């Protein structure tokens, strides 16, 4: 993807699942990966991007 995925998938658990699925090889794993990205993007669209504070 040309854009930063954190603009679309904003939750920590969603990003960890994204990287896990992205690393898997095979046709059905790629199909599941693209399905996950589509659904996660739709679910996280109305959410705000989390802001990390430095202590």
């Amino acid at each position: 993807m040309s854009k930063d995925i954190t603009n679309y998938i904003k939750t920590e658990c969603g990003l960890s699942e994204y990287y896990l699925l992205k690393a898997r090889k095979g046709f059905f794993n790629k199909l599941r990966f693209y399905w996950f990205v589509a659904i996660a993007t739709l679910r996280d669209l109305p959410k705000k991007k989390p802001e990390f504070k430095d202590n």
Side-chain angles (χ1 to χ4, degrees):
M1 299 187 143
S2 61
K3 301 235 180 195
D4 187 22
I5 195 65
T6 60
N7 291 331
Y8 303 107
I9 302 175
K10 298 171 184 155
T11 60
E12 187 177 326
C13 61
L15 288 171
S16 64
E17 186 71 17
Y18 168 83
Y19 291 118
L20 179 72
L21 291 173
K22 186 177 180 182
R24 294 183 180 175
K25 304 294 180 198
F27 175 74
F28 290 108
N29 288 325
K30 292 299 176 188
L31 188 62
R32 183 173 181 234
F33 168 74
Y34 290 120
W35 177 256
F36 172 79
V37 170
I39 298 301
T41 300
L42 289 174
R43 288 187 69 199
D44 289 354
L45 217 61
K47 295 180 182 176
K48 292 183 179 180
K49 197 172 184 180
E51 295 181 19
F52 298 104
K53 296 179 182 178
D54 292 333
N55 291 336

